[in-house]
Amino acid sequence: MSSETPQIQVNTEHYDFSRYVSWERWSSYWHQLHEIDAVRPNDVLCIGIGDDIVPSILQRKGYAVSRFDFDPALRPDYVGGVDHVRESVDGRIFDAVLCCQVLEHQPFEILAGTVEQLLSITKSRLVVSLPYSHVPMLRLKLRLYRSVLADLDLLVQKFWKSWKFDGEHYWEVGARGFPMSRIGPVFDRDGFRTRHFHAKEHPYHLFLVMDRL
């Protein structure tokens, strides 16, 4: 675990709807909602409040939603660093945990330990998304009337790009030193089935969904 005190990287104005929510980000919200709704959880822990759109929609769907964030200005139910989430939620266990575009805001060295913490408070499903540094090379979509015959994206990781802390992200999947072949095993855990996919409309967001067996 990290001994450093994390710093708030963006202020609340950063999440202004007109500037923050692009069409691509909105489509990523759909994937978050879809993956949580698929398991019909009684309660959900949303880590990283952001603009609060996804937690609010989950609440309107009738789920008991708890919010977790490092920034008290966002008025979360639990305040703390994600690498100490188990301690911060007092050992509470949730049916589902959602943690999207959060883990890259901390050093890579503590990723494995943080994932272990997240799984320890997850009863059924953990949904994570990470930034994927890539170049889109090809997109192919074939339709016959209303049926999709093929839907293929060819994405090339930016293996030539060295990543340096940019004030927000310590690392991104695909950049030099952080290939998917290194990230994937962190999420391959005994007792869980893991799958990953890109948001079709926003492949910069790589989703990893872990279900307890």
Side-chain angles (χ1 to χ4, degrees):
M1 293 299 167
S2 173
S3 59
E4 298 180 2
T5 301
Q7 301 296 315
I8 294 173
Q9 296 172 347
V10 296
N11 56 35
T12 54
E13 289 75 20
H14 175 78
Y15 300 110
D16 176 74
F17 183 88
S18 60
R19 290 179 295 175
Y20 183 71
V21 183
S22 62
W23 160 247
E24 291 80 11
R25 190 182 297 275
W26 188 262
S27 67
S28 185
Y29 289 171
W30 181 90
H31 287 284
Q32 295 180 39
L33 293 163
H34 176 75
E35 294 299 331
I36 293 297
D37 194 45
V39 293
R40 301 289 181 182
N42 291 315
D43 54 4
V44 184
L45 178 67
C46 293
I47 299 176
I49 296 174
D51 54 22
D52 202 39
I53 289 176
V54 170
S56 296
I57 293 175
L58 289 171
Q59 267 185 323
R60 288 183 64 85
K61 289 179 67 63
Y63 302 126
V65 175
S66 296
R67 295 163 170 83
F68 180 99
D69 205 281
F70 177 72
D71 186 358
L74 297 176
R75 296 185 293 180
D77 300 292
Y78 301 100
V79 179
V82 66
D83 56 325
H84 291 90
V85 62
R86 181 170 53 204
E87 174 185 333
S88 298
V89 301
D90 300 320
R92 184 177 170 187
I93 298 177
F94 300 85
D95 284 346
V97 174
L98 182 66
C99 183
C100 292
Q101 304 301 301
V102 171
L103 300 181
E104 68 278 4
H105 291 274
Q106 61 179 16
F108 182 80
E109 291 71 25
I110 62 175
L111 176 63
T114 301
V115 172
E116 184 177 341
Q117 290 249 335
L118 293 172
L119 293 176
S120 74
I121 61 168
T122 304
K123 188 181 300 182
S124 177
R125 172 169 286 189
L126 170 64
V127 179
V128 170
S129 75
L130 300 170
Y132 188 78
S133 185
H134 73 282
V135 174
M137 297 297 290
L138 174 68
R139 182 161 197 189
L140 175 65
K141 191 165 189 175
L142 297 178
R143 282 182 175 272
L144 180 62
Y145 298 106
R146 295 183 180 181
S147 300
V148 177
L149 301 181
D151 194 351
L152 172 67
D153 287 301
L154 178 60
L155 310 174
V156 177
Q157 300 179 60
K158 289 185 178 180
F159 57 86
W160 61 88
K161 179 180 179 181
S162 298
W163 191 270
K164 295 182 179 179
F165 179 60
D166 62 3
E168 294 186 34
H169 295 184
Y170 281 88
W171 53 277
E172 291 193 356
V173 183
R176 180 183 296 175
F178 306 105
M180 188 59 192
S181 59
R182 183 183 182 190
I183 307 302
V186 176
F187 292 88
D188 289 334
R189 302 293 180 109
D190 291 339
F192 286 86
R193 179 177 58 253
T194 303
R195 57 186 171 87
H196 62 83
F197 62 90
H198 294 271
K200 275 290 183 184
E201 308 81 358
H202 193 31
Y204 177 61
H205 284 189
L206 170 68
F207 281 82
L208 298 107
V209 180
M210 304 180 69
D211 290 309
R212 192 177 291 278
L213 297 175

PDB file of all heavy atoms in Angstrom, residues 90-115:
ATOM      1  N   ASP A  90     -15.364   0.598   6.482  1.00  0.00           N
ATOM      2  CA  ASP A  90     -15.539  -0.151   7.731  1.00  0.00           C
ATOM      3  C   ASP A  90     -15.821  -1.639   7.494  1.00  0.00           C
ATOM      4  O   ASP A  90     -16.598  -2.267   8.228  1.00  0.00           O
ATOM      5  CB  ASP A  90     -16.675   0.457   8.570  1.00  0.00           C
ATOM      6  CG  ASP A  90     -16.393   1.908   8.934  1.00  0.00           C
ATOM      7  OD1 ASP A  90     -15.230   2.227   9.256  1.00  0.00           O
ATOM      8  OD2 ASP A  90     -17.328   2.724   8.870  1.00  0.00           O
ATOM      9  N   GLY A  91     -15.203  -2.189   6.458  1.00  0.00           N
ATOM     10  CA  GLY A  91     -15.352  -3.610   6.191  1.00  0.00           C
ATOM     11  C   GLY A  91     -16.682  -4.023   5.593  1.00  0.00           C
ATOM     12  O   GLY A  91     -16.967  -5.216   5.465  1.00  0.00           O
ATOM     13  N   ARG A  92     -17.489  -3.058   5.205  1.00  0.00           N
ATOM     14  CA  ARG A  92     -18.788  -3.376   4.604  1.00  0.00           C
ATOM     15  C   ARG A  92     -18.573  -4.070   3.257  1.00  0.00           C
ATOM     16  O   ARG A  92     -17.625  -3.786   2.533  1.00  0.00           O
ATOM     17  CB  ARG A  92     -19.589  -2.087   4.399  1.00  0.00           C
ATOM     18  CG  ARG A  92     -20.990  -2.305   3.873  1.00  0.00           C
ATOM     19  CD  ARG A  92     -21.739  -0.987   3.762  1.00  0.00           C
ATOM     20  NE  ARG A  92     -22.988  -1.154   3.040  1.00  0.00           N
ATOM     21  CZ  ARG A  92     -23.774  -0.148   2.675  1.00  0.00           C
ATOM     22  NH1 ARG A  92     -23.431   1.104   2.985  1.00  0.00           N
ATOM     23  NH2 ARG A  92     -24.890  -0.377   2.007  1.00  0.00           N
ATOM     24  N   ILE A  93     -19.477  -4.998   2.909  1.00  0.00           N
ATOM     25  CA  ILE A  93     -19.404  -5.714   1.645  1.00  0.00           C
ATOM     26  C   ILE A  93     -20.637  -5.361   0.808  1.00  0.00           C
ATOM     27  O   ILE A  93     -21.765  -5.370   1.305  1.00  0.00           O
ATOM     28  CB  ILE A  93     -19.323  -7.236   1.872  1.00  0.00           C
ATOM     29  CG1 ILE A  93     -18.039  -7.572   2.644  1.00  0.00           C
ATOM     30  CG2 ILE A  93     -19.339  -7.981   0.538  1.00  0.00           C
ATOM     31  CD1 ILE A  93     -17.900  -9.038   2.979  1.00  0.00           C
ATOM     32  N   PHE A  94     -20.416  -5.062  -0.479  1.00  0.00           N
ATOM     33  CA  PHE A  94     -21.475  -4.630  -1.383  1.00  0.00           C
ATOM     34  C   PHE A  94     -21.720  -5.692  -2.449  1.00  0.00           C
ATOM     35  O   PHE A  94     -20.804  -6.395  -2.867  1.00  0.00           O
ATOM     36  CB  PHE A  94     -21.087  -3.317  -2.060  1.00  0.00           C
ATOM     37  CG  PHE A  94     -20.836  -2.194  -1.096  1.00  0.00           C
ATOM     38  CD1 PHE A  94     -19.585  -2.046  -0.498  1.00  0.00           C
ATOM     39  CD2 PHE A  94     -21.828  -1.284  -0.784  1.00  0.00           C
ATOM     40  CE1 PHE A  94     -19.339  -1.022   0.399  1.00  0.00           C
ATOM     41  CE2 PHE A  94     -21.592  -0.245   0.101  1.00  0.00           C
ATOM     42  CZ  PHE A  94     -20.345  -0.122   0.705  1.00  0.00           C
ATOM     43  N   ASP A  95     -22.969  -5.776  -2.917  1.00  0.00           N
ATOM     44  CA  ASP A  95     -23.283  -6.719  -3.990  1.00  0.00           C
ATOM     45  C   ASP A  95     -22.440  -6.428  -5.230  1.00  0.00           C
ATOM     46  O   ASP A  95     -21.956  -7.346  -5.890  1.00  0.00           O
ATOM     47  CB  ASP A  95     -24.773  -6.636  -4.360  1.00  0.00           C
ATOM     48  CG  ASP A  95     -25.662  -7.319  -3.338  1.00  0.00           C
ATOM     49  OD1 ASP A  95     -25.135  -8.079  -2.494  1.00  0.00           O
ATOM     50  OD2 ASP A  95     -26.886  -7.098  -3.365  1.00  0.00           O
ATOM     51  N   ALA A  96     -22.285  -5.161  -5.559  1.00  0.00           N
ATOM     52  CA  ALA A  96     -21.511  -4.773  -6.737  1.00  0.00           C
ATOM     53  C   ALA A  96     -20.697  -3.522  -6.424  1.00  0.00           C
ATOM     54  O   ALA A  96     -21.122  -2.672  -5.629  1.00  0.00           O
ATOM     55  CB  ALA A  96     -22.422  -4.518  -7.935  1.00  0.00           C
ATOM     56  N   VAL A  97     -19.535  -3.433  -7.045  1.00  0.00           N
ATOM     57  CA  VAL A  97     -18.662  -2.269  -6.881  1.00  0.00           C
ATOM     58  C   VAL A  97     -18.299  -1.753  -8.269  1.00  0.00           C
ATOM     59  O   VAL A  97     -17.934  -2.527  -9.160  1.00  0.00           O
ATOM     60  CB  VAL A  97     -17.387  -2.623  -6.090  1.00  0.00           C
ATOM     61  CG1 VAL A  97     -16.421  -1.435  -6.060  1.00  0.00           C
ATOM     62  CG2 VAL A  97     -17.744  -3.053  -4.665  1.00  0.00           C
ATOM     63  N   LEU A  98     -18.421  -0.445  -8.444  1.00  0.00           N
ATOM     64  CA  LEU A  98     -18.127   0.214  -9.712  1.00  0.00           C
ATOM     65  C   LEU A  98     -16.963   1.175  -9.502  1.00  0.00           C
ATOM     66  O   LEU A  98     -17.023   2.051  -8.644  1.00  0.00           O
ATOM     67  CB  LEU A  98     -19.369   0.970 -10.194  1.00  0.00           C
ATOM     68  CG  LEU A  98     -19.306   1.703 -11.531  1.00  0.00           C
ATOM     69  CD1 LEU A  98     -19.147   0.713 -12.681  1.00  0.00           C
ATOM     70  CD2 LEU A  98     -20.569   2.545 -11.726  1.00  0.00           C
ATOM     71  N   CYS A  99     -15.906   0.997 -10.291  1.00  0.00           N
ATOM     72  CA  CYS A  99     -14.693   1.813 -10.124  1.00  0.00           C
ATOM     73  C   CYS A  99     -14.147   2.146 -11.509  1.00  0.00           C
ATOM     74  O   CYS A  99     -13.323   1.410 -12.055  1.00  0.00           O
ATOM     75  CB  CYS A  99     -13.667   1.043  -9.292  1.00  0.00           C
ATOM     76  SG  CYS A  99     -12.150   1.963  -8.928  1.00  0.00           S
ATOM     77  N   CYS A 100     -14.629   3.238 -12.086  1.00  0.00           N
ATOM     78  CA  CYS A 100     -14.294   3.559 -13.475  1.00  0.00           C
ATOM     79  C   CYS A 100     -13.449   4.820 -13.586  1.00  0.00           C
ATOM     80  O   CYS A 100     -13.793   5.858 -13.010  1.00  0.00           O
ATOM     81  CB  CYS A 100     -15.574   3.706 -14.286  1.00  0.00           C
ATOM     82  SG  CYS A 100     -16.456   2.130 -14.483  1.00  0.00           S
ATOM     83  N   GLN A 101     -12.362   4.715 -14.350  1.00  0.00           N
ATOM     84  CA  GLN A 101     -11.446   5.821 -14.588  1.00  0.00           C
ATOM     85  C   GLN A 101     -10.949   6.419 -13.268  1.00  0.00           C
ATOM     86  O   GLN A 101     -10.937   7.634 -13.064  1.00  0.00           O
ATOM     87  CB  GLN A 101     -12.124   6.888 -15.452  1.00  0.00           C
ATOM     88  CG  GLN A 101     -12.651   6.350 -16.773  1.00  0.00           C
ATOM     89  CD  GLN A 101     -11.557   5.720 -17.637  1.00  0.00           C
ATOM     90  OE1 GLN A 101     -10.596   6.382 -17.997  1.00  0.00           O
ATOM     91  NE2 GLN A 101     -11.707   4.450 -17.960  1.00  0.00           N
ATOM     92  N   VAL A 102     -10.508   5.526 -12.385  1.00  0.00           N
ATOM     93  CA  VAL A 102     -10.025   5.904 -11.055  1.00  0.00           C
ATOM     94  C   VAL A 102      -8.619   5.382 -10.794  1.00  0.00           C
ATOM     95  O   VAL A 102      -7.743   6.125 -10.327  1.00  0.00           O
ATOM     96  CB  VAL A 102     -10.984   5.370  -9.959  1.00  0.00           C
ATOM     97  CG1 VAL A 102     -10.373   5.566  -8.573  1.00  0.00           C
ATOM     98  CG2 VAL A 102     -12.340   6.047 -10.042  1.00  0.00           C
ATOM     99  N   LEU A 103      -8.372   4.127 -11.096  1.00  0.00           N
ATOM    100  CA  LEU A 103      -7.144   3.462 -10.649  1.00  0.00           C
ATOM    101  C   LEU A 103      -5.886   4.052 -11.263  1.00  0.00           C
ATOM    102  O   LEU A 103      -4.806   3.960 -10.673  1.00  0.00           O
ATOM    103  CB  LEU A 103      -7.227   1.963 -10.938  1.00  0.00           C
ATOM    104  CG  LEU A 103      -8.381   1.234 -10.245  1.00  0.00           C
ATOM    105  CD1 LEU A 103      -8.346  -0.253 -10.580  1.00  0.00           C
ATOM    106  CD2 LEU A 103      -8.344   1.443  -8.740  1.00  0.00           C
ATOM    107  N   GLU A 104      -5.997   4.667 -12.437  1.00  0.00           N
ATOM    108  CA  GLU A 104      -4.833   5.281 -13.071  1.00  0.00           C
ATOM    109  C   GLU A 104      -4.397   6.572 -12.382  1.00  0.00           C
ATOM    110  O   GLU A 104      -3.328   7.106 -12.682  1.00  0.00           O
ATOM    111  CB  GLU A 104      -5.130   5.560 -14.550  1.00  0.00           C
ATOM    112  CG  GLU A 104      -6.167   6.630 -14.803  1.00  0.00           C
ATOM    113  CD  GLU A 104      -7.621   6.144 -14.708  1.00  0.00           C
ATOM    114  OE1 GLU A 104      -7.828   4.953 -14.364  1.00  0.00           O
ATOM    115  OE2 GLU A 104      -8.522   6.947 -14.984  1.00  0.00           O
ATOM    116  N   HIS A 105      -5.189   7.028 -11.430  1.00  0.00           N
ATOM    117  CA  HIS A 105      -4.855   8.243 -10.681  1.00  0.00           C
ATOM    118  C   HIS A 105      -3.941   7.952  -9.498  1.00  0.00           C
ATOM    119  O   HIS A 105      -3.668   8.843  -8.690  1.00  0.00           O
ATOM    120  CB  HIS A 105      -6.132   8.938 -10.196  1.00  0.00           C
ATOM    121  CG  HIS A 105      -6.941   9.537 -11.303  1.00  0.00           C
ATOM    122  ND1 HIS A 105      -6.711  10.801 -11.795  1.00  0.00           N
ATOM    123  CD2 HIS A 105      -7.977   9.027 -12.025  1.00  0.00           C
ATOM    124  CE1 HIS A 105      -7.572  11.065 -12.768  1.00  0.00           C
ATOM    125  NE2 HIS A 105      -8.358   9.992 -12.926  1.00  0.00           N
ATOM    126  N   GLN A 106      -3.508   6.712  -9.374  1.00  0.00           N
ATOM    127  CA  GLN A 106      -2.571   6.342  -8.316  1.00  0.00           C
ATOM    128  C   GLN A 106      -1.410   5.580  -8.952  1.00  0.00           C
ATOM    129  O   GLN A 106      -1.525   5.050 -10.064  1.00  0.00           O
ATOM    130  CB  GLN A 106      -3.262   5.482  -7.266  1.00  0.00           C
ATOM    131  CG  GLN A 106      -3.815   4.165  -7.798  1.00  0.00           C
ATOM    132  CD  GLN A 106      -4.475   3.331  -6.718  1.00  0.00           C
ATOM    133  OE1 GLN A 106      -4.791   3.820  -5.645  1.00  0.00           O
ATOM    134  NE2 GLN A 106      -4.668   2.059  -6.992  1.00  0.00           N
ATOM    135  N   PRO A 107      -0.259   5.519  -8.285  1.00  0.00           N
ATOM    136  CA  PRO A 107       0.903   4.835  -8.864  1.00  0.00           C
ATOM    137  C   PRO A 107       0.607   3.380  -9.215  1.00  0.00           C
ATOM    138  O   PRO A 107      -0.126   2.687  -8.502  1.00  0.00           O
ATOM    139  CB  PRO A 107       1.959   4.953  -7.763  1.00  0.00           C
ATOM    140  CG  PRO A 107       1.567   6.164  -6.990  1.00  0.00           C
ATOM    141  CD  PRO A 107       0.061   6.167  -7.000  1.00  0.00           C
ATOM    142  N   PHE A 108       1.179   2.913 -10.303  1.00  0.00           N
ATOM    143  CA  PHE A 108       0.944   1.552 -10.766  1.00  0.00           C
ATOM    144  C   PHE A 108       1.378   0.516  -9.735  1.00  0.00           C
ATOM    145  O   PHE A 108       0.797  -0.563  -9.657  1.00  0.00           O
ATOM    146  CB  PHE A 108       1.688   1.311 -12.083  1.00  0.00           C
ATOM    147  CG  PHE A 108       1.454  -0.047 -12.654  1.00  0.00           C
ATOM    148  CD1 PHE A 108       0.294  -0.327 -13.362  1.00  0.00           C
ATOM    149  CD2 PHE A 108       2.376  -1.070 -12.472  1.00  0.00           C
ATOM    150  CE1 PHE A 108       0.055  -1.599 -13.880  1.00  0.00           C
ATOM    151  CE2 PHE A 108       2.151  -2.344 -12.984  1.00  0.00           C
ATOM    152  CZ  PHE A 108       0.986  -2.603 -13.687  1.00  0.00           C
ATOM    153  N   GLU A 109       2.390   0.845  -8.951  1.00  0.00           N
ATOM    154  CA  GLU A 109       2.943  -0.107  -7.989  1.00  0.00           C
ATOM    155  C   GLU A 109       1.925  -0.580  -6.970  1.00  0.00           C
ATOM    156  O   GLU A 109       2.094  -1.649  -6.379  1.00  0.00           O
ATOM    157  CB  GLU A 109       4.143   0.509  -7.272  1.00  0.00           C
ATOM    158  CG  GLU A 109       5.379   0.717  -8.128  1.00  0.00           C
ATOM    159  CD  GLU A 109       5.224   1.831  -9.141  1.00  0.00           C
ATOM    160  OE1 GLU A 109       4.401   2.751  -8.903  1.00  0.00           O
ATOM    161  OE2 GLU A 109       5.918   1.789 -10.189  1.00  0.00           O
ATOM    162  N   ILE A 110       0.864   0.188  -6.746  1.00  0.00           N
ATOM    163  CA  ILE A 110      -0.122  -0.226  -5.752  1.00  0.00           C
ATOM    164  C   ILE A 110      -1.409  -0.749  -6.399  1.00  0.00           C
ATOM    165  O   ILE A 110      -2.402  -0.993  -5.707  1.00  0.00           O
ATOM    166  CB  ILE A 110      -0.441   0.907  -4.761  1.00  0.00           C
ATOM    167  CG1 ILE A 110      -1.041   2.119  -5.468  1.00  0.00           C
ATOM    168  CG2 ILE A 110       0.817   1.303  -3.988  1.00  0.00           C
ATOM    169  CD1 ILE A 110      -1.475   3.222  -4.499  1.00  0.00           C
ATOM    170  N   LEU A 111      -1.386  -0.945  -7.734  1.00  0.00           N
ATOM    171  CA  LEU A 111      -2.588  -1.421  -8.421  1.00  0.00           C
ATOM    172  C   LEU A 111      -3.034  -2.789  -7.921  1.00  0.00           C
ATOM    173  O   LEU A 111      -4.212  -2.985  -7.598  1.00  0.00           O
ATOM    174  CB  LEU A 111      -2.345  -1.475  -9.933  1.00  0.00           C
ATOM    175  CG  LEU A 111      -3.500  -2.063 -10.756  1.00  0.00           C
ATOM    176  CD1 LEU A 111      -4.752  -1.216 -10.627  1.00  0.00           C
ATOM    177  CD2 LEU A 111      -3.091  -2.201 -12.230  1.00  0.00           C
ATOM    178  N   ALA A 112      -2.118  -3.749  -7.842  1.00  0.00           N
ATOM    179  CA  ALA A 112      -2.493  -5.107  -7.444  1.00  0.00           C
ATOM    180  C   ALA A 112      -3.112  -5.126  -6.052  1.00  0.00           C
ATOM    181  O   ALA A 112      -4.131  -5.794  -5.815  1.00  0.00           O
ATOM    182  CB  ALA A 112      -1.279  -6.028  -7.501  1.00  0.00           C
ATOM    183  N   GLY A 113      -2.520  -4.392  -5.125  1.00  0.00           N
ATOM    184  CA  GLY A 113      -3.056  -4.333  -3.768  1.00  0.00           C
ATOM    185  C   GLY A 113      -4.418  -3.668  -3.725  1.00  0.00           C
ATOM    186  O   GLY A 113      -5.300  -4.069  -2.945  1.00  0.00           O
ATOM    187  N   THR A 114      -4.621  -2.658  -4.567  1.00  0.00           N
ATOM    188  CA  THR A 114      -5.911  -1.969  -4.613  1.00  0.00           C
ATOM    189  C   THR A 114      -6.994  -2.888  -5.169  1.00  0.00           C
ATOM    190  O   THR A 114      -8.113  -2.931  -4.655  1.00  0.00           O
ATOM    191  CB  THR A 114      -5.802  -0.695  -5.466  1.00  0.00           C
ATOM    192  OG1 THR A 114      -4.812   0.165  -4.911  1.00  0.00           O
ATOM    193  CG2 THR A 114      -7.125   0.037  -5.509  1.00  0.00           C
ATOM    194  N   VAL A 115      -6.669  -3.632  -6.217  1.00  0.00           N
ATOM    195  CA  VAL A 115      -7.635  -4.588  -6.780  1.00  0.00           C
ATOM    196  C   VAL A 115      -8.023  -5.624  -5.727  1.00  0.00           C
ATOM    197  O   VAL A 115      -9.192  -5.992  -5.588  1.00  0.00           O
ATOM    198  CB  VAL A 115      -7.064  -5.268  -8.040  1.00  0.00           C
ATOM    199  CG1 VAL A 115      -7.976  -6.399  -8.506  1.00  0.00           C
ATOM    200  CG2 VAL A 115      -6.883  -4.244  -9.156  1.00  0.00           C
TER     201      VAL A 115
END
